[in-house]
């Protein structure tokens, strides 16, 4: 009887009920360095949660499979069960996934974003003291990039030169639309009002909630007038629906190429950036490099119902000893996850302890200079946990 009662409580909790005792978070370990950073990151998340809530609230990690582990178990890189569980539990965190060449998937990550309609790729890029960054004033970088995640030329509508599809398409374009195209590979770039507007809404609501003061729309509308140009126009239309003066939030726009140099020269002028898919892809990694590299910047893919958090880097096949990989990007993706779930104190604790650890000079090999001893992912995580009592 008691067991049944407990089950009912847990069921309520997992369904978002009011008396929550335990919250289930899904995780995908990832390929390559994935398992080597997931284990220590999870130790940090669990220890922080315990530090704040003791036994009052709990999180439970439930593994779901994707990538090589899923291929081994299910014969598929992205099993239906994984997608179904993400739809059911609505929240998860993943390690990086490799898409094996010739797998039938352009990218597992792109497939997940599209199948789950995770339309906003959110990347906060902020300098942390103690990191060797390649620019003069990295401390001026404190931006959040909102990149559209499901359309644009990057999102996967593409055919190879001389394929049946590209030849047919070229024929139609030439005969019906007066274009003069020779044999070529073709990529299609849809940018829609609906998908642009929902992204801009997310960015505005984030700005209001987090007291951000400026939203910059990044586009290439001077050249691509109906896709990127309308991206800009639709974003402004959404902005007009809000009383942004009340929150002291300004909205402006900038051409993508200029954005790259302005971010290097005057990073303090930027706060939130809203971008189509491809521009955002370039910009996210460039901005990350400006504060020290993709090993330290977190990411989130968020839709209306489901949120999937992930580090910005890939499986890092170039790292000879995977246990020496930097878990920071994944740990901070967990910080975003806790913020999203409303566990702000847990998020703050991890963020502060991690920053303190870096300031004390404890670094992984990607960040340590020749004079500094570099820590493994496990050792770095332990230092963060030890710092919880100093926050
Ligand atoms: P990458 O895995 O991000 O690695 C590029 C380089 O960045 C690494 O070789 C390493 O540099 C450094 N690096 C990345 N993460 C690091 C970490 N945590 N700690 C220390 N250094 C780190 O990019 P890639 O080599 O282009 O892609 C490899 C695979 O990952 C591909 O299959 C790709 O499809 C996949 N990928 C997946 C995702 C995702 O799951 N979201 C994202 C991007 C790429 P050094 O070698 O110089 O040490």
């Amino acid at each position: 009887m008691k067991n049944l009662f407990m089950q009912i409580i847990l069921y309520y909790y997992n369904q978002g009920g009011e008396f929550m005792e335990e919250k289930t978070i899904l995780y995908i370990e990832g390929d390559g360095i994935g398992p080597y950073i997931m284990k220590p990151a999870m130790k940090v998340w669990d220890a922080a949660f315990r530090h704040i809530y003791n036994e009052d609230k709990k999180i439970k990690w439930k593994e779901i499979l994707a990538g090589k582990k899923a291929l081994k178990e299910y014969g598929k890189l992205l099993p239906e069960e994984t997608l179904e569980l993400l739809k059911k539990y609505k929240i998860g965190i993943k390690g990086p996934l490799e898409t094996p060449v010739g797998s039938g998937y352009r990218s597992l990550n792109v497939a997940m974003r599209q199948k789950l309609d995770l339309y906003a790729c959110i990347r906060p890029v902020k300098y942390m003291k103690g990191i060797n960054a390649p620019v003069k004033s990295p401390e001026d970088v404190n931006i959040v990039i909102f990149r559209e995640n499901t359309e644009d030329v990057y999102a996967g509508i593409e055919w190879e030169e001389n394929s049946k599809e590209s030849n047919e398409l070229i024929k139609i374009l030439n005969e019906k639309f007066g274009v003069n195209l020779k044999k070529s590979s073709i990529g299609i770039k849809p940018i829609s009002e609906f998908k642009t507007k929902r992204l801009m809404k997310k960015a505005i609501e984030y700005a209001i909630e987090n007291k951000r003061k400026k939203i910059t729309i990044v586009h290439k509308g001077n050249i691509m007038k109906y896709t990127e140009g309308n991206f800009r126009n639709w974003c402004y239309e959404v902005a007009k629906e809000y009383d942004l003066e009340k929150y002291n939030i300004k909205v402006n726009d900038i051409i993508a190429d200029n954005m790259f140099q302005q971010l290097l020269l005057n990073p303090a002028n930027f706060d939130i950036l809203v971008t189509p898919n491809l521009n955002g892809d370039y910009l996210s990694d460039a901005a990350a490099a400006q504060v020290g590299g993709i090993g330290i910047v977190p990411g989130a893919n968020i839709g209306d119902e489901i949120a999937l958090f992930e580090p910005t880097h890939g499986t890092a096949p170039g790292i000879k000893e995977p246990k020496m990989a930097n878990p920071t990007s994944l740990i901070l993706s967990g910080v975003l996850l806790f913020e999203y779930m409303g566990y702000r104190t847990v998020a703050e604790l991890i963020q502060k302890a991690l920053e303190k650890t870096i300031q004390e000079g404890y670094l992984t090999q990607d960040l340590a200079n020749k004079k500094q001893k570099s820590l493994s992912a496990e050792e770095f995580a332990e230092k963060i946990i030890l710092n919880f009592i100093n926050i």
Side-chain angles (χ1 to χ4, degrees):
M1 187 64 187
K2 194 178 161 201
N3 199 12
L4 179 67
F5 181 64
M6 277 309 291
Q7 275 180 11
I8 292 170
I9 288 185
L10 289 178
Y11 176 78
Y12 254 89
Y13 180 71
N14 287 328
Q15 302 308 313
E18 279 177 19
F19 41 98
M20 296 183 176
E21 294 293 328
E22 186 172 78
K23 184 84 183 163
T24 299
I25 305 168
L26 303 178
Y27 75 96
I28 295 170
E29 206 175 45
D31 300 323
I33 59 169
Y36 298 88
I37 53 174
M38 185 61 82
K39 209 169 136 225
M42 221 170 245
K43 278 189 189 163
V44 171
W45 300 328
D46 278 336
F49 209 84
R50 260 198 317 275
H51 187 88
I52 298 290
Y53 291 116
N54 200 4
E55 293 294 312
D56 297 344
K57 290 183 185 177
K58 281 189 177 172
I59 42 168
K60 187 173 126 195
W61 302 101
K62 180 178 170 63
E63 185 172 13
I64 50 171
L65 302 186
K68 286 186 172 164
K69 223 172 169 180
L71 192 65
K72 215 167 153 193
E73 189 104 346
Y74 291 87
K76 279 182 176 175
L77 287 165
L78 186 53
E80 208 46 47
E81 188 183 321
T82 293
L83 295 170
E84 287 311 313
L85 284 167
L86 279 162
K87 283 178 197 162
K88 180 178 169 200
Y89 286 93
K90 303 193 186 324
I91 190 147
I93 190 156
K94 63 177 274 294
L97 291 172
E98 179 193 327
T99 306
V101 178
S103 69
Y105 280 108
R106 178 178 311 266
S107 151
L108 273 184
N109 300 299
V110 172
M112 285 174 100
R113 290 166 192 169
Q114 288 186 337
K115 283 177 196 267
L116 300 169
D117 201 22
L118 304 171
Y119 61 82
C121 177
I122 304 171
R123 286 204 187 168
V125 184
K126 191 179 155 209
Y127 177 67
M128 288 185 283
K129 230 172 156 180
I131 285 182
N132 299 313
V135 295
K136 275 191 208 146
S137 310
E139 62 285 353
D140 286 347
V141 181
N142 182 0
I143 58 170
V144 184
I145 301 174
F146 278 73
R147 164 192 172 202
E148 207 291 325
N149 230 359
T150 61
E151 56 181 3
D152 191 357
V153 74
Y154 184 89
I157 313 175
E158 213 191 2
W159 294 282
E160 202 171 10
E161 176 169 327
N162 218 13
S163 62
K164 182 172 161 279
E165 292 86 354
S166 70
N167 286 344
E168 267 179 35
L169 204 54
I170 288 171
K171 194 161 174 266
I172 294 171
L173 290 172
N174 287 349
E175 287 174 5
K176 292 205 170 158
F177 296 106
V179 178
N180 184 18
L181 262 185
K182 302 270 180 296
K183 229 179 238 177
S184 31
S185 289
I186 298 270
I188 293 205
K189 181 185 175 78
I191 289 192
S192 65
E193 179 173 355
F194 171 70
K195 291 187 172 183
T196 301
K197 286 190 166 174
R198 66 182 182 171
L199 176 76
M200 183 63 175
K201 271 191 190 131
K202 268 249 181 305
I204 291 175
E205 276 151 25
Y206 179 94
I208 293 171
E209 209 179 312
N210 292 281
K211 301 191 171 37
R212 295 278 182 157
K213 294 296 164 224
K214 191 174 171 189
I215 300 176
T216 302
I217 308 156
V218 186
H219 61 92
K220 192 75 186 159
N222 52 331
I223 306 293
M224 289 168 274
K225 300 197 186 295
Y226 304 119
T227 49
E228 305 247 345
N230 274 339
F231 180 87
R232 168 192 174 275
N233 299 342
W234 290 322
C235 282
Y236 275 122
E237 277 175 31
V238 174
K240 277 193 202 136
E241 290 168 17
Y242 289 81
D243 181 5
L244 292 180
E245 257 177 43
K246 179 173 149 197
Y247 302 102
N248 201 14
I249 296 173
K250 303 240 169 335
V251 178
N252 70 346
D253 72 280
I254 186 166
I255 304 287
D257 35 345
N258 188 20
M259 179 69 233
F260 277 85
Q261 67 145 338
Q262 290 304 326
L263 192 60
L264 279 168
L265 298 174
N266 303 302
N269 284 350
F270 299 96
D271 192 348
I272 286 181
L273 307 180
V274 180
T275 84
N277 195 339
L278 183 61
N279 293 338
D281 188 45
Y282 298 149
L283 205 48
S284 306
D285 278 15
Q290 218 167 310
V291 297
I294 50 175
I296 55 169
V297 174
N301 299 293
I302 294 183
D304 284 331
E305 292 198 349
I306 305 168
L308 185 60
F309 298 80
E310 64 174 346
T312 53
H313 56 76
T315 57
I319 298 182
K320 285 194 188 76
E321 272 192 285
K323 67 172 190 186
M324 301 306 283
N326 189 347
T328 301
S329 177
L330 180 60
I331 292 172
L332 291 180
S333 300
V335 166
L336 298 182
L337 175 143
F338 287 128
E339 276 173 5
Y340 178 88
M341 291 174 81
Y343 298 127
R344 281 200 178 248
T345 41
V346 179
E348 271 168 31
L349 176 70
I350 300 171
Q351 177 87 38
K352 285 185 181 156
L354 189 141
E355 285 177 10
K356 189 167 192 320
T357 304
I358 289 173
Q359 277 173 41
E360 287 167 347
Y362 295 114
L363 297 166
T364 45
Q365 66 177 12
D366 53 323
L367 300 176
N369 63 34
K370 282 182 187 140
K371 287 183 205 147
Q372 289 165 310
K373 175 183 177 298
S374 52
L375 270 56
S376 68
E378 283 280 348
E379 289 165 337
F380 183 66
E382 275 159 25
K383 293 287 180 202
I384 297 172
I385 294 168
L386 284 176
N387 264 331
F388 287 164
I389 50 168
N390 299 319
I391 302 300

